[in-house]
Amino acid sequence: MGHRPGAVRDSIINFLREKGEATVAEIAAAVETKLGAVPSSSVRSYLGNNVPEVFSRTGHGRYRLKAGRGS
């Protein structure tokens, strides 16, 4: 079963607003807790496709919201 459009995006952004910075594994686990089964590849893809507009890559497999996006 699919998720509503934007559900994965919203879950990632909300998690990073609370956490600050996290690994892809932490982000994927949080999204799965919130939405149920979500392929980790979907989370990785969304993160990778939205650097540098939405996210900053802070290290190998680590991301945070870009400055000014956390409010």
Side-chain angles (χ1 to χ4, degrees):
M1 181 176 179
H3 302 286
R4 70 168 174 74
V8 172
R9 175 201 62 218
D10 293 347
S11 292
I12 292 170
I13 289 172
N14 289 335
F15 177 71
L16 287 175
R17 277 187 181 136
E18 293 174 16
K19 177 85 172 170
E21 180 180 323
T23 65
V24 173
E26 291 170 323
I27 297 165
V31 170
E32 186 167 331
T33 297
K34 180 84 173 176
L35 300 178
V38 173
S40 62
S41 60
S42 294
V43 173
R44 282 192 311 273
S45 178
Y46 187 80
L47 289 163
N49 289 336
N50 288 285
V51 170
E53 295 84 9
V54 179
F55 305 106
S56 295
R57 186 169 181 248
T58 60
H60 181 72
R62 295 191 66 82
Y63 293 86
R64 68 175 172 84
L65 280 174
K66 187 173 178 180
R69 292 268 189 186
S71 53

